[in-house]
Amino acid sequence: MFKARIQDLINRFGQGGRVLVVGDLTLDEFLTGSAERISREAPVLILRHETTRQIPGGAANALANLASLGVPCIAVGIVGQDLQGEALTKLLHNQGITSALVVDPTRPTVTKTRISAHSRQSVTQQIVRMDRKSDLPIDPLIEAQLVQHITQWLPQVSLVVCSDYLEGVLTESVIQACLQHPQVIVDTHLGLGRYRGATLFTPNLPEAEAAVGFGITSLEDLLRAGAILLDQTQAEQILITRGDQGMSLFIKTGEVHHIPAFNRTQVFDVTGAGDTVVAALTCARLAGATPLECVILGNLAASIVVRSFGTATTTAPELHDHLEQLAWTP
């Protein structure tokens, strides 16, 4: 009965309306090459370029995951007037995502370029990452355009996701515009209190520890942290993701659920897994799932994408396949 119910929810993905994602859009670049020799100019490797891959990252990864799960979504964020912004806009368009983007010619598109290398007989390993971004506050005119886009789309969506990577998009005015919607899911690295009154927060363990001001090293710590976070945020639910220790869901009614990690052995890369969790539980929520069922589907989706290197997405058919192999039941 448990699996039949989850299968039914997956089949209903995409039927609960559109989702507005507001946040820090990022272009993830992956450059791969083979190591040929040490340079004569400096003690560094010379790589022969093999592949370049560009995929949506940051809030754009949350959008990509929603789209791959069949949910129509709208992107609100900032891109620069540069080649990276053009590439990211095209990637979103190719996935059927509606873009309500603001082009800021004074800022670069946030871009994370990872360079990986291998020799003839070795595995490919990342050797350096170069980030392109601005640390300056966004211009008030750009901020006003973001608020205008949000206000325009709010009546037309069933849920809002705030994907805050601390790159400057989610200012106080932008956050308050998002909170005008009755259903808001927040995924932020810091400052949960700025989103007070949102529906659901999804901090990972370090983010939860930073918010409550103490280390979470025991079940007692975890329970205390969940209660504090519910009080701090006035949220309906707090989901603390704990890596290979699973996830813990705290509901304002007093319910607490602990779900183990569904995949602890085939983990190759956790990059972007949090975005996948948010996307899957958003789909489940719109499909009519209970809070626990939402977390189960988020956990299941994350267990799939961590098997791939780099930022990855999953699909409804993959969820069906991995659910069949799942031994755990609530």
Side-chain angles (χ1 to χ4, degrees):
M1 291 296 293
F2 158 67
K3 287 189 177 180
R5 166 64 177 170
I6 300 300
Q7 299 278 17
D8 180 58
L9 288 170
I10 296 171
N11 289 334
R12 282 190 265 156
F13 277 9
Q15 299 177 15
R18 291 185 286 193
V19 174
L20 179 66
V21 178
V22 182
D24 299 301
L25 305 172
T26 300
L27 179 67
D28 278 349
E29 289 186 325
F30 297 88
L31 276 65
T32 303
S34 58
E36 292 196 325
R37 58 186 173 86
I38 300 296
S39 173
R40 296 177 182 176
E41 303 169 357
V44 296
L45 286 173
I46 292 178
L47 307 181
R48 181 180 291 272
H49 177 266
E50 292 178 338
T51 61
T52 295
R53 189 163 58 105
Q54 294 180 319
I55 55 179
N61 182 40
L63 283 153
N65 272 276
L66 284 164
S68 69
L69 290 170
V71 174
C73 45
I74 301 97
V76 172
I78 297 173
V79 293
Q81 198 169 39
D82 48 27
L83 293 175
Q84 292 76 24
E86 293 175 7
L88 183 53
T89 302
K90 184 177 180 180
L91 286 169
L92 295 176
H93 173 76
N94 289 344
Q95 291 189 289
I97 296 166
T98 301
S99 293
L101 307 181
V102 179
V103 177
D104 186 345
T106 70
R107 302 170 74 89
T109 301
V110 179
T111 306
K112 298 178 181 179
T113 303
R114 298 166 176 86
I115 300 177
S116 300
H118 65 89
S119 64
R120 290 182 179 179
Q121 298 178 338
S122 71
V123 298
T124 300
Q125 294 180 310
Q126 184 180 153
I127 57 175
V128 67
R129 191 182 97 180
M130 181 171 64
D131 289 358
R132 183 187 287 107
K133 63 179 187 176
S134 172
D135 293 326
L136 297 175
I138 65 173
D139 185 275
L141 292 176
I142 299 294
E143 183 181 31
Q145 291 181 61
L146 291 171
V147 171
Q148 182 181 6
H149 284 316
I150 294 165
T151 303
Q152 173 190 343
W153 279 105
L154 279 188
Q156 305 176 56
V157 299
S158 300
L159 189 147
V160 177
V161 172
C162 294
S163 182
D164 190 350
Y165 277 77
L166 307 179
E167 302 292 355
V169 166
L170 284 150
T171 64
E172 184 63 29
S173 294
V174 170
I175 291 171
Q176 290 307 311
C178 293
L179 290 176
Q180 298 308 303
H181 197 280
Q183 287 204 76
V184 181
I185 294 177
V186 176
D187 183 17
T188 180
H189 290 289
L190 286 174
L192 275 67
R194 295 181 299 137
Y195 296 88
R196 185 180 176 89
T199 310
L200 167 65
F201 290 76
T202 63
N204 61 27
L205 191 62
E207 291 161 358
E209 290 175 331
V212 298
F214 57 83
I216 301 173
T217 58
S218 65
L219 178 59
E220 181 182 357
D221 292 336
L222 182 61
L223 295 175
R224 183 159 66 103
I228 291 172
L229 290 174
L230 281 171
D231 181 63
Q232 281 183 357
T233 62
Q234 291 298 293
E236 292 180 10
Q237 300 152 30
I238 295 287
L239 175 65
I240 301 178
T241 58
R242 301 187 291 127
D244 64 359
Q245 297 302 305
M247 303 179 181
S248 295
L249 175 67
F250 300 86
I251 305 175
K252 69 176 183 180
T253 57
E255 293 177 63
V256 178
H257 300 280
H258 303 292
I259 302 95
F262 292 161
N263 171 23
R264 300 180 61 178
T265 58
Q266 294 178 297
V267 178
F268 298 109
D269 193 342
V270 299
T271 303
D275 298 315
T276 302
V277 171
V278 169
L281 66 83
T282 295
C283 294
R285 188 179 184 93
L286 293 178
T290 66
L292 177 57
E293 290 168 341
C294 289
V295 175
I296 289 169
L297 278 159
N299 197 350
L300 183 65
S303 75
I304 297 170
V305 298
V306 296
R307 302 167 196 248
S308 302
F309 287 105
T311 316
T313 60
T314 188
T315 63
E318 287 179 326
L319 289 172
H320 281 302
D321 290 343
H322 284 77
L323 180 63
E324 286 299 320
Q325 303 167 26
L326 185 63
W328 179 86
T329 56

